[in-house]
Amino acid sequence: MTALKITLQVIVVLLSFVLTLLILMHKGKGGGLSDMFGGGLTQNAGTSGVAEKNLNRWTVIIALVWVALIIGLDMMAKFNLG
């Protein structure tokens, strides 16, 4: 079971990086950190509505998988399964 636990922990770390990148790719709504780091560049590039919807979908899906893995790892620790 320790191999499963280590594998899940590695997946959580990788998904954390991917989730961070996806969140940073979102178009800024004005103000905040998104305008500080390249806000002008994203305004000029102009993403389409479809691209923004797909980005939102991927962000939500990966966030849900990330949360499910963390809950699963917590249950494994609570019940000594790994």
Side-chain angles (χ1 to χ4, degrees):
M1 280 298 212
T2 58
L4 175 63
K5 188 174 179 180
I6 291 172
T7 304
L8 291 178
Q9 289 173 343
V10 169
I11 292 172
V12 166
V13 169
L14 292 175
L15 286 180
S16 297
F17 287 122
V18 170
L19 191 58
T20 302
L21 291 174
L22 287 174
I23 289 170
L24 289 174
M25 287 174 59
H26 277 86
K27 185 176 180 183
K29 303 293 186 227
L33 292 176
S34 62
D35 283 345
M36 286 176 56
F37 301 110
L41 179 64
T42 57
Q43 288 174 354
N44 291 338
T47 58
S48 68
V50 175
E52 191 71 25
K53 284 182 184 179
N54 287 335
L55 184 61
N56 287 338
R57 285 186 192 131
W58 279 108
T59 305
V60 169
I61 290 168
I62 291 178
L64 290 174
V65 171
W66 183 78
V67 168
L69 285 175
I70 290 176
I71 291 172
L73 283 168
D74 183 50
M75 291 296 164
M76 287 175 70
K78 184 176 181 179
F79 297 114
N80 295 325
L81 295 176

